[in-house]
Amino acid sequence: MVPALDAAMVATMLDRHYGVRGALTPLPSERDQNFRVVEPNGRSWVAKVAHPDEDAAFAMQAALLAHVARVDPSLAMPRVAPALNGDPIVSIAVRDAAYRLRLVSWLDGVPLAEASRSGAQLRQVGDAAGRLSRALRSFGHAGAHRAFAWDLARTLDNRSRLVHVTDATRRARLAKLLDTFERRVAPRLPELRHGVIHGDLNDWNVLVAPDDPSRIAGIIDVGDAVFSAQIGELAIAATYAMLGARSPLAAAQDVVVGFCAQLAVEPAEADLLLDLIRARLVTSLCLAAARRAQSGEGNTYWYVSEAPAWELLAFLDGVNEHHARAMLRHACGLEPASGGQEIQRWIAAKAQTFAPILGAPLARHRLQRLDWGDPTDPVVSATVRGDLAGADAAYAQAATTGAFDVGIGAWGEHRATYAADAFASRLLDGARRSVHLGLDVFVDAGAALYAPIDGVVLATADCQRPQDYGGVLLVEHRTETGVAFRTLWGHLAPSSIAHWRPGDSIPTGAMIARLGASHENGGWVPHLHLQLCCSGETDPESIVGVGEPELGEVWRSLYPDPTLLAGVPPEALTLGPPGDRALLARRERILGRNLSLSYRRPLHIVRGHDVWLVDSRGRHYLDCYNNVAHVGHAHPRVTAAIAEQAAQLNTNTRYLHERILEYAEALTRSLPAPLSVCFLTCSGSEANELALRMVRAHTGRRDVLVLDQAYHGSTTSLVEMSPYKYKQRGGGGRPSHVHEVPVPDPYRAPADWPVADIGVCYARAVERVIEGGVLPGALFAETIPSCAGQIVVPGGFFQQAFAALRRAGGLCVLDEVQVGFGRVGTAMWAFEEHGLVPDIVTMGKPIANGHPMGAVVTTPEVAASFASGPEYFNTFGGNPVSCAAALAVLGVLRDERLPENAKARGEEIEAGLRALAGRYPLIGDVRGRGLFLGAELVTDPRSKAPATDLAAAVVDRCRELGVLLGTDGPAANVIKLRPPMTTKPEHVRLLLDVFAQAVGDAVEGR
């Protein structure tokens, strides 16, 4: 009961006990009787009279004010004025009751309720509330432990007051909120931090400066202070900031941001903040109804917040509580979606294991991102108009013009299609939802869709409006640690998901639905809308696919980017066409025109990883051609070694450094004796050039023997001894010091040669040259001639040729630039298969996995001859970074057992090609070792006439289908296969499937 003492009596008591005289003006209050006291000198006070029942609480309030004044003197709050006897509170006897009187200082200011609002102002409100909460952490008083109707912990007491809410609809709404509080909040309240709180930071108890409404002038009225959950202070302050606000949640966020700048909010507290805001509203409305029933409309102060409280509850009922909760968590400086970051990290770590959502990886399609932010785009404008046929036609035209078969609508992009009033924000007044929160994959209607990971069906729906999802499936997934998240699959054909029931399991790779047509898919060009959900929602109709730009971080946490889950390569998210024609024109203008490109339609490659090359659209190509990336593109161990060494030292060999010695020792250990002296270069061409110098230094001869169609490098000296080059148009022809012998090709050997003697028969050509009077300094030969057509040299050739050459005083040089380092599978070096040791072996290409490097290893005898001439120096050869890369390659080959892998995978490829040759006589011969293979195409198996055009067609068709191959041989009719050593069985299956289709298409003329 509020005291009702005569003002004159209170004035007398003030004079007697405080020596204060002045005019008294009543102030509104719920339990105390308050007066403003203005002395003749203009000084103001507030006199508070409390009922005897409030003794303990009244004493606590005075102690609280005194505590805040000590702990945070700059926080503007009333100061307790001591009575003349020094006591903070005096007793005044009135009839049979002893009332309590307290005098506190008056704070000048305007109630926040009467001031204009701003975000900066509300952040100051939160700041003041945070400072007060921080100050009160060290305050305790027995009077704070009281049964108090406004205490949020006693929210459920309002059940007894519901009877006074006369409107049945409103009563039911409040009852439902109380049920939620009992289920969700009450069990968790004891876990939260507790302490004494102000308990009533409403907009009448917060003052702003009269001359500057954005500045908080003080906090008044501690009459509701109580021991309770500390987060209640923030919940109550936020509640009153939201009342009447145009954007209630934005107002709450401002208060929360200010509060957390002073006192951090714990995750458990943040999770209940929205519930406690609702609880404050429920308490306010139930108490107002009870008072009206008991006392009528007498005290308007009791009902000042009633109407805006109902409005705020209606607003909160209309917004997605997961979104509102996330906004408040974000304002607290916490992750908007609890566990969202963990889920994103899990997806990133597991990305390589996900099954493809279209059955085949998106990375193998021709992808193109669509610009849904351009309102002039024909597809976009037709969609906005609701012209389904026009949108479908415009999309088909764009796909034809852009040469893509899958369109991508990116996550996080601003879209011009979201212009209708339906996309006005429910969360922020005046904002518009325009940011796409899912990933769109545009494919033909009816396309089958597959689960990338295990899941359980939560719900199905047909969400035509307002979400425009069409048929939708909501699936739940869990990480190994039990963290749950969901995927929303939208724009599905409703009939394709009719069989799913909540609780059904969907295993990885299972077909889950088919894509709907435009008329059943929300009025869009057929596409999958895939959305990743960390929000906890179980109703697909509550999941928005479009969000406000102002809430970007919130949406990023609730609905993260599903690109990795879907397997979309990052390059596919670049807007606009790749611009390959412009790039080609630049290349032709700036670089030499005879710097050739592969394929009729050149590839624009921007990235590589393991066995894959990625073009500017994000399409992945299985690389079975580029044998430089020996242990796979961008192998992490190699790239780490390069980065680590480059950050430490890179210089030439005129200084001592360990890396070159470590590498030379490791390399020579892999070679048979007497190959033990190492020279390092920058390329295979330099290695062969250096070998030529060694030959001339050791033998004093210029003449050399080479195999027909051989290619040993790009220097002038090497082009002169490479028939593959000098026989071309403008090649200049064979120099007099170069002598060719036929390439020992078993497939094209004369029919009358015994198979067992083919190698020896070919070697007689070497003997004939020498018998003709030529004294060659060396025979240069690739151990497995590549440009000649991936020729596997038959046994006996090298043995007899080497013997003849050495009798004539010449050296034997084997070029292992392409076939070394375990590529043949059976040994580290291809020459080991022949049981012989050359005098010099050269290396390049795969030696450092693409880092420029080459090597020459020779015998001490040859090295000594070379050392007697001019010094050898190579600025970059053997630099520490290249050596670090090359050492890493050797380590990967050893630790990942890649030579053994090359043997197994090579046998699989060879067997598959031979089986295919049994179906298609076009494949005249299959040959090779390990992962160095060739398939020779012929127009007729008997004549063996080269099928040059068909070989080119097969290679180009494989390129279209996502596998990169090349052609070689004198007639360019041999398809060469040189995949990375990390090739796995699934890559072999893809290669063989694509090759079979390409050969079939070539034969049938497609």
Side-chain angles (χ1 to χ4, degrees):
M1 179 182 295
V2 179
L5 303 187
D6 181 72
M9 179 185 294
V10 175
T12 300
M13 294 297 107
L14 289 171
D15 185 18
R16 178 185 305 167
H17 293 288
Y18 290 90
V20 172
R21 299 174 183 174
L24 273 64
T25 304
L27 297 173
S29 179
E30 182 182 359
R31 289 180 311 283
D32 302 332
Q33 185 178 15
N34 297 332
F35 296 93
R36 179 178 183 181
V37 183
V38 182
E39 296 185 272
N41 62 6
R43 189 175 186 182
S44 293
W45 304 89
V46 175
K48 299 182 73 72
V49 180
H51 194 276
D53 293 344
E54 299 281 337
D55 276 0
F58 204 61
M60 177 269 293
Q61 295 158 20
L64 184 154
L65 290 173
H67 176 83
V68 172
R70 289 193 304 272
V71 175
D72 190 353
S74 63
L75 182 58
M77 292 187 71
R79 299 294 186 252
V80 177
L84 295 175
N85 65 1
D87 292 339
I89 299 172
V90 298
S91 295
I92 53 176
V94 180
R95 293 181 291 276
D96 296 330
Y99 291 90
R100 300 293 182 261
L101 174 64
R102 181 172 79 231
L103 188 67
V104 298
S105 59
W106 172 269
L107 293 185
D108 283 324
V110 177
L112 181 62
E114 297 177 350
S116 58
R117 304 287 180 91
S118 71
Q121 175 199 69
L122 293 178
R123 285 189 289 275
Q124 281 203 32
V125 170
D127 182 90
R131 288 177 61 186
L132 179 56
S133 291
R134 192 175 63 193
L136 292 179
R137 287 189 302 173
S138 56
F139 175 71
H141 195 285
H145 296 267
R146 53 177 174 152
F148 185 54
W150 288 94
D151 182 3
L152 291 174
R154 302 185 68 88
T155 297
L156 294 177
D157 291 354
N158 290 299
R159 288 197 189 279
S160 64
R161 304 181 184 107
L162 284 177
V163 66
H164 302 300
V165 180
T166 56
D167 184 285
T169 302
R170 287 181 167 182
R171 185 169 60 250
R173 179 185 296 174
L174 296 178
K176 183 178 179 181
L177 290 171
L178 288 171
D179 290 343
T180 301
F181 186 94
E182 184 172 20
R183 182 183 68 256
R184 174 179 167 80
V185 184
R188 299 176 63 185
L189 278 179
E191 305 169 7
L192 307 184
R193 296 178 295 179
H194 278 62
V196 179
I197 65 172
H198 179 285
D200 195 21
L201 289 177
N202 66 52
D203 46 3
W204 292 97
N205 289 338
V206 177
L207 305 179
V208 300
D211 59 340
D212 182 6
S214 67
R215 182 170 62 84
I216 301 304
I219 294 172
I220 61 173
D221 191 0
V222 295
D224 284 9
V226 66
F227 182 85
S228 189
Q230 289 182 343
I231 190 62
E233 196 80 277
L234 176 56
I236 292 165
T239 301
Y240 290 100
M242 296 170 79
L243 291 175
R246 291 184 59 185
S247 294
L249 285 169
Q253 281 186 301
D254 286 326
V255 174
V256 172
V257 167
F259 185 96
C260 292
Q262 296 294 333
L263 185 64
V265 169
E266 295 181 345
E269 296 171 327
D271 284 342
L272 296 180
L273 193 50
L274 181 64
D275 300 278
L276 294 175
I277 288 171
R278 286 186 171 129
R280 181 65 175 195
L281 294 171
V282 169
T283 297
S284 178
L285 292 167
C286 287
L287 283 172
R291 286 170 182 149
R292 183 176 285 107
Q294 295 164 7
S295 307
E297 303 286 349
N299 190 342
T300 57
Y301 179 74
W302 290 347
Y303 312 116
V304 68
S305 299
E306 189 174 21
W310 282 117
E311 292 174 3
L312 181 55
L313 271 186
F315 167 80
L316 292 176
D317 282 349
V319 300
N320 183 312
E321 70 171 29
H322 297 281
H323 301 165
R325 230 181 286 281
M327 289 174 66
L328 295 176
R329 282 181 57 93
H330 182 54
C332 289
L334 300 171
E335 184 184 3
S338 177
Q341 292 180 3
E342 180 180 345
I343 291 164
Q344 292 178 61
R345 288 192 295 269
W346 184 86
I347 288 173
K350 295 283 188 178
Q352 298 302 318
T353 67
F354 297 152
I357 62 173
L358 295 184
L362 279 171
R364 295 188 200 154
H365 290 267
R366 293 171 295 155
L367 307 175
Q368 177 66 57
R369 178 176 168 182
L370 307 177
D371 188 0
W372 289 95
D374 180 6
T376 65
D377 181 274
V379 181
V380 176
S381 60
T383 302
V384 172
R385 294 194 309 270
D387 178 4
L388 304 189
D392 284 347
Y395 177 82
Q397 180 59 47
T400 300
T401 303
F404 64 88
D405 55 5
V406 175
I408 300 296
W411 171 91
E413 68 182 357
H414 292 267
R415 291 196 164 181
T417 46
Y418 304 132
D421 290 341
F423 294 101
S425 173
R426 295 181 181 179
L427 299 172
L428 299 175
D429 183 73
R432 184 167 293 277
R433 297 185 294 124
S434 62
V435 178
H436 190 231
L437 303 179
L439 175 79
D440 288 343
V441 181
F442 289 80
V443 289
D444 293 338
L449 304 171
Y450 299 85
I453 50 178
D454 292 347
V456 174
V457 174
L458 283 185
T460 61
D462 189 0
C463 305
Q464 292 295 341
R465 297 292 175 187
Q467 304 293 44
D468 288 346
Y469 288 145
V472 67
L473 182 68
L474 187 62
V475 183
E476 182 171 85
H477 317 275
R478 288 188 180 271
T479 68
E480 287 83 355
T481 59
V483 179
F485 64 98
R486 281 120 195 177
T487 49
L488 178 91
W489 300 69
H491 303 302
L492 311 177
S495 60
S496 72
I497 56 175
H499 64 288
W500 290 119
R501 296 291 180 269
D504 286 352
S505 294
I506 303 179
T508 299
M511 194 185 95
I512 61 174
R514 291 192 179 275
L515 199 62
S518 297
H519 69 276
E520 59 186 355
N521 137 356
W524 291 79
V525 174
H527 71 279
L528 166 68
H529 172 94
L530 180 63
Q531 190 162 338
L532 188 58
C533 309
C534 301
S535 56
E537 288 147 305
T538 57
D539 178 6
E541 296 198 49
S542 69
I543 299 174
V544 297
V546 193
E548 298 82 347
E550 295 86 348
L551 300 178
E553 290 303 314
V554 172
W555 298 132
R556 186 181 300 276
S557 180
L558 290 176
Y559 306 117
D561 187 352
T563 299
L564 287 176
L565 188 69
V568 177
E571 293 78 13
L573 301 177
T574 302
L575 272 175
D580 294 347
R581 291 182 182 176
L583 199 63
L584 181 59
R586 281 178 62 200
R587 177 186 170 105
E588 291 177 346
R589 184 174 67 252
I590 297 169
L591 303 179
R593 286 178 176 261
N594 59 343
L595 185 64
S596 63
L597 285 163
S598 296
Y599 310 111
R600 294 169 184 170
R601 186 161 61 88
L603 282 169
H604 179 187
I605 297 297
V606 297
R607 183 165 58 91
H609 63 94
D610 194 27
V611 298
W612 305 100
L613 284 174
V614 186
D615 72 9
S616 56
R617 280 179 164 167
R619 189 180 186 190
H620 284 49
Y621 295 86
L622 182 65
D623 185 4
C624 298
Y625 177 47
N626 176 8
N627 63 331
V628 175
H630 193 57
V631 296
H633 295 280
H635 192 289
R637 185 165 168 182
V638 179
T639 55
I642 291 171
E644 181 180 352
Q645 184 61 54
Q648 183 180 19
L649 171 70
N650 197 27
T651 186
N652 60 48
T653 53
R654 291 202 187 277
Y655 307 98
L656 291 172
H657 67 81
E658 292 83 359
R659 280 285 183 266
I660 188 172
L661 301 178
E662 291 171 6
Y663 183 69
E665 289 168 349
L667 181 63
T668 53
R669 279 198 300 269
S670 72
L671 290 157
L675 294 171
S676 58
V677 183
C678 182
F679 298 80
L680 298 179
T681 66
C682 298
S683 68
S685 290
E686 282 192 2
N688 280 324
E689 181 73 27
L690 180 59
L692 182 61
R693 285 179 59 188
M694 290 179 177
V695 167
R696 290 173 176 173
H698 185 73
T699 65
R701 302 173 181 175
R702 289 184 55 80
D703 288 79
V704 293
L705 280 171
V706 297
L707 303 182
D708 194 7
Q709 286 299 309
Y711 173 63
H712 294 290
S714 61
T715 67
T716 299
S717 297
L718 296 179
V719 169
E720 288 178 349
M721 51 182 274
S722 296
Y724 178 75
K725 289 295 184 183
Y726 67 62
K727 285 186 174 183
Q728 292 182 11
R729 180 173 58 86
R734 179 180 65 81
S736 60
H737 68 280
V738 175
H739 307 275
E740 294 173 18
V741 295
V743 62
D745 180 359
Y747 180 62
R748 294 186 177 278
D752 59 346
W753 286 1
V755 172
D757 295 335
I758 288 176
V760 173
C761 292
Y762 272 117
R764 288 174 185 150
V766 174
E767 295 172 337
R768 286 194 292 271
V769 171
I770 295 171
E771 290 167 357
V774 174
L775 292 177
L779 167 67
F780 275 78
E782 297 169 88
T783 314
I784 302 180
S786 177
C787 292
Q790 313 290 90
I791 304 299
V792 178
V793 175
F797 174 81
F798 281 126
Q799 289 87 342
Q800 186 145 332
F802 276 26
L805 197 68
R806 284 169 171 162
R807 286 194 300 271
L811 296 177
C812 305
V813 181
L814 286 184
D815 179 337
E816 295 251 344
V817 168
Q818 296 209 51
V819 296
F821 296 96
R823 179 164 286 280
V824 295
T826 54
M828 187 69 167
W829 308 103
F831 65 76
E832 294 181 85
E833 182 180 85
H834 296 275
L836 49 80
V837 180
D839 300 295
I840 301 173
V841 59
T842 61
M843 310 157 194
K845 287 189 187 296
I847 190 170
N849 214 52
H851 203 273
M853 189 166 173
V856 178
V857 181
T858 189
T859 66
E861 181 184 5
V862 174
S865 298
F866 183 57
S868 65
E871 72 157 344
Y872 169 70
F873 176 68
N874 187 315
T875 301
F876 300 113
N879 72 79
V881 174
S882 294
C883 289
L887 269 169
V889 168
L890 291 179
V892 172
L893 288 170
R894 177 191 64 244
D895 296 344
E896 297 184 15
R897 302 177 63 86
L898 294 186
E900 294 93 324
N901 183 69
K903 181 177 185 299
R905 303 291 82 74
E907 289 172 352
E908 291 169 3
I909 295 171
E910 188 173 357
L913 293 177
R914 292 193 185 283
L916 191 63
R919 291 164 50 196
Y920 295 105
L922 171 69
I923 303 174
D925 189 35
V926 174
R927 53 186 178 250
R929 290 290 187 273
L931 290 177
F932 196 81
L933 300 157
E936 183 163 356
L937 305 192
V938 294
T939 58
D940 178 70
R942 293 186 178 181
S943 69
K944 301 180 183 178
T948 302
D949 291 342
L950 285 175
V954 168
V955 166
D956 269 308
R957 182 60 176 146
C958 285
R959 173 221 185 274
E960 291 176 3
L961 296 172
V963 174
L964 302 183
L965 301 169
T967 58
D968 236 325
N973 68 314
V974 179
I975 296 175
K976 56 185 177 183
L977 302 92
R978 305 173 302 189
M981 300 283 281
T982 52
T983 296
K984 296 180 177 60
E986 58 264 33
H987 304 140
V988 171
R989 289 192 293 272
L990 174 62
L991 163 63
L992 293 174
D993 288 347
V994 166
F995 194 84
Q997 182 175 342
V999 170
D1001 290 349
V1003 169
E1004 295 172 18
R1006 291 201 296 268

